[in-house]
Amino acid sequence: MRLFLLTGVALVLSLSLSAGESEAKIPSGVLMDEARVVIGEILELQKSDRRLPHDISAEEIRKRLDTAISNLKKAGVFDVSAAQEERFKKGTFDDADATTRLKAAIKILQSINVDMPVTTVYAMRQLEGGKLRGARLEICARLAEHNIEQLKALGGGKGE
């Protein structure tokens, strides 16, 4: 069942990305900037609820943020076509598509036996609160999809 669910998300991902597939991909500065904000907020929340050491320095948080952004960039999370990046720079996003993708990813992550990734928990709360739009919604959808790709690479959820 898990393999079917993960395969299903791969199909959703490939369909949503196929529109500009023939065009070369570039890392989106718009998405990287928004990811810095989102992940920065998550790290601050983790610090405030003591999932990070209370005495962690601002420098250490910055290093963790830089490492996260670098790893996501290497994984292709920010990759877009030049046309998409131009739309993003103008503030034009397909919120309906990103919402559908995010909800599908959340559903898949909830259906398998894994601890929900912190970025997805953040996205769920923001989505429920009506706070996700534009670049923030797009990056949250991409982060949730990336979490599924990581699980596929590891072979699924707990207890396998």
Side-chain angles (χ1 to χ4, degrees), residues 2-159:
R2 289 184 192 148
L3 180 60
F4 173 75
L5 290 171
L6 292 174
T7 304
V9 81
L11 177 62
V12 170
L13 288 173
S14 67
L15 290 174
S16 68
L17 296 176
S18 64
E21 196 170 317
S22 62
E23 194 173 338
K25 299 291 183 176
I26 57 170
S28 169
V30 173
L31 294 180
M32 284 191 288
D33 289 346
E34 192 61 37
R36 281 192 165 285
V37 173
V38 167
I39 296 169
E41 287 177 7
I42 291 169
L43 289 170
E44 288 299 327
L45 288 169
Q46 288 180 317
K47 182 179 177 182
S48 70
D49 70 8
R50 301 182 190 268
R51 284 184 275 164
L52 290 177
H54 71 282
D55 59 347
I56 190 169
S57 69
E59 178 65 18
E60 180 59 28
I61 288 177
R62 188 192 59 73
K63 285 180 185 176
R64 288 183 184 206
L65 179 57
D66 289 345
T67 299
I69 296 299
S70 176
N71 290 340
L72 292 168
K73 185 177 179 182
K74 288 176 191 169
V77 172
F78 307 121
D79 287 356
V80 298
S81 68
Q84 284 175 304
E85 180 66 354
E86 285 305 310
R87 286 195 313 272
F88 291 172
K89 286 178 180 177
K90 293 176 183 174
T92 305
F93 293 87
D94 186 346
D95 285 359
D97 176 64
T99 299
T100 299
R101 292 178 14 243
L102 177 57
K103 286 180 178 180
I106 289 169
K107 185 175 181 178
I108 289 166
L109 288 166
Q110 288 174 330
S111 70
I112 54 181
N113 190 21
V114 296
D115 291 330
M116 189 67 71
V118 67
T119 53
T120 304
V121 172
Y122 173 89
M124 288 170 48
R125 290 181 180 155
Q126 295 288 308
L127 187 63
E128 290 167 0
K131 297 177 181 176
L132 287 182
R133 289 179 193 78
R136 182 162 294 215
L137 175 57
E138 179 66 29
I139 199 60
C140 284
R142 287 171 179 251
L143 291 171
E145 291 166 341
H146 177 66
N147 290 331
I148 292 168
E149 289 298 317
Q150 287 180 307
L151 284 172
K152 281 175 44 181
L154 295 174
K158 291 188 272 184

